[in-house]
Amino acid sequence: MPRPGKNSYSDQKPPYSYISLTAMAIQSSSEKMLPPSDIYKFIMDRFPYYRENTQRWQNSLRHNLSFNDCFIKIPRRPDQPGKGSFWALHPDCGDMFENGSFLRRRKRFKLLGVEHSACKSGPVLHSYHSHAQHALHQSHHHSGKLGMGHQEYLGTMGRLSHFQSYTLGGGQSGSFKHPFAIESLIGRDYKGVMASGLPIASVMHHLGYPVPAQLGSMVNSVWPHVGMLSEPVSSEYPPFNVAVKGLYHHHPGTQSMPAVPVPIKPTPTLGAVPSLTGMMPGVTQLCPRTAALMERDATALVEEKSGSLHPALLQS
DNA sequence: CTGTGTTTACGGATAA
DNA sequence: TTATCCGTAAACACAG
């Protein structure tokens, strides 16, 4: 495999869409949320390709942030200097890349039906505080998922569970790590995190709300080598030596499937929604509270897309 | 001013 | 083929 000291396939355009790159960056952060500048950094740190034409792709990325409902904006705390808000993944965006391709999702995660419904103005009345508290102490169900179209996504598992499933071959213990495998790029311990409904806990933690120990303890325990800015895994894809070429091709009968973008599958079993627990071998059940947290309108917690919360509400 | 965030528009690619 | 998704450009508003 060619290893031209400098430029090789490492500066090829990564087989990820901005959405997946962004999701990756966000997931890699301990708080599960990042301001644009950090997202850029994450991407540039490990994908040389994006060290150029920054003006162009960053504009595209920002476009994706505000245009796609899978990303939610979270206001900065008053005590946190810096520009721009934090961006996180929508709790219900689920398995956006279940089709196996990080280039194109099978279906876009879109919040619908909010147009003329009361949902638009109603939920906004709540403050973060009330929501956080509410979410924390409520464990019963809340029927409606804010603005979810019928055919829209339905899962509730961690948004990166899909990444996980592609890091291992047909079902092996998964030792082969592909250069572009998310697991390789951001870490490999997110399973437990995902299962804990971290996003919400993280957001609340971020906002200064008390987070249950069980959840809180996990907030900062992951991605040991992710946040690190060192170069080792950054500039290139050191641990791996796989020709990029192979990444774009599907290997039919191959067991050690590349943990990468492959043509979209025919379409699994229709309507077969992978269950949360099913996706995570080690996890047989979720803390009911956590499940509830993820299930209920965490949507409302961060409020619906276009409005973004009034920082004022955070004060009180 | 620069960095963010929102929005509209269009063309290319590809899933359905 | 059509419907969507994605990337890009670009206009514009806003905040620090």
Side-chain angles (χ1 to χ4, degrees):
Chain A
M1 46 210 98
R3 198 38 185 284
K6 199 58 195 102
N7 41 346
S8 57
Y9 47 76
S10 60
D11 48 2
Q12 293 276 322
K13 179 167 183 170
Y16 297 114
S17 63
Y18 289 121
I19 292 179
S20 47
L21 284 171
T22 303
M24 228 185 278
I26 291 174
Q27 279 303 314
S28 76
S29 68
S30 57
E31 303 294 331
K32 303 306 168 217
M33 60 173 87
L34 289 175
S37 58
D38 284 342
I39 295 176
Y40 302 153
K41 191 168 186 307
F42 174 93
I43 295 173
M44 293 173 81
D45 278 351
R46 41 218 97 192
F47 300 104
Y49 174 85
Y50 289 108
R51 290 173 189 165
E52 297 180 336
N53 305 307
T54 57
Q55 191 76 32
R56 190 200 309 172
W57 70 263
Q58 290 181 357
N59 175 35
S60 294
L61 192 149
R62 283 196 302 281
H63 159 72
N64 274 278
L65 283 177
S66 34
F67 182 74
N68 296 100
D69 290 335
C70 58
F71 297 118
I72 52 181
K73 197 172 60 176
I74 295 166
R76 275 176 186 277
R77 284 208 313 264
D79 59 293
Q80 273 179 316
K83 265 199 161 186
S85 307
F86 283 95
W87 289 87
L89 287 166
H90 190 292
D92 286 332
C93 69
D95 205 339
M96 297 193 290
F97 305 95
E98 60 184 341
N99 54 43
S101 171
F102 293 104
L103 284 171
R104 181 180 173 138
R105 293 167 295 175
R106 189 172 60 71
K107 185 157 184 62
R108 169 155 43 171
F109 173 71
K110 198 73 179 159
L111 298 176
L112 301 173
V114 187
E115 291 136 317
H116 14 51
S117 78
C119 298
K120 191 74 177 183
S121 53
V124 190
L125 300 175
H126 302 300
S127 69
Y128 258 113
H129 192 72
S130 61
H131 267 295
Q133 296 282 330
H134 195 211
L136 258 186
H137 301 308
Q138 296 292 319
S139 58
H140 55 260
H141 241 72
H142 174 255
S143 60
K145 288 196 175 186
L146 185 60
M148 278 306 226
H150 24 310
Q151 276 302 333
E152 296 303 335
Y153 184 53
L154 7 71
T156 301
M157 83 271 314
R159 45 232 101 280
L160 234 44
S161 56
H162 36 271
F163 287 159
Q164 157 194 349
S165 52
Y166 299 113
T167 56
L168 33 82
Q172 315 201 358
S173 4
S175 49
F176 170 73
K177 300 297 189 302
H178 180 93
F180 285 117
I182 279 72
E183 186 173 286
S184 300
L185 296 166
I186 53 181
R188 46 194 299 289
D189 208 15
Y190 46 73
K191 297 180 194 173
V193 184
M194 296 288 74
S196 66
L198 242 198
I200 297 174
S202 181
V203 168
M204 302 199 316
H205 175 262
H206 161 76
L207 294 172
Y209 295 112
V211 176
Q214 358 167 356
L215 297 180
S217 63
M218 311 180 84
V219 175
N220 304 302
S221 62
V222 237
W223 330 131
H225 55 294
V226 182
M228 128 222 104
L229 316 168
S230 50
E231 296 238 351
V233 189
S234 344
S235 32
E236 306 208 29
Y237 314 105
F240 332 89
N241 297 309
V242 179
V244 130
K245 186 180 178 184
L247 308 184
Y248 299 89
H249 295 315
H250 183 47
H251 298 239
T254 307
Q255 298 188 23
S256 55
M257 257 253 303
V260 212
V262 294
I264 300 206
K265 293 182 192 173
T267 291
T269 319
L270 214 58
V273 181
S275 74
L276 180 55
T277 53
M279 294 294 285
M280 295 172 257
V283 182
T284 55
Q285 59 174 20
L286 286 176
C287 157
R289 172 179 295 166
T290 297
L293 270 178
M294 300 177 75
E295 196 63 56
R296 43 168 306 100
D297 53 4
T299 312
L301 173 70
V302 249
E303 191 239 349
E304 108 272 4
K305 200 61 183 175
S306 54
S308 100
L309 234 61
H310 294 246
L313 295 176
L314 301 178
Q315 312 287 357
S316 161

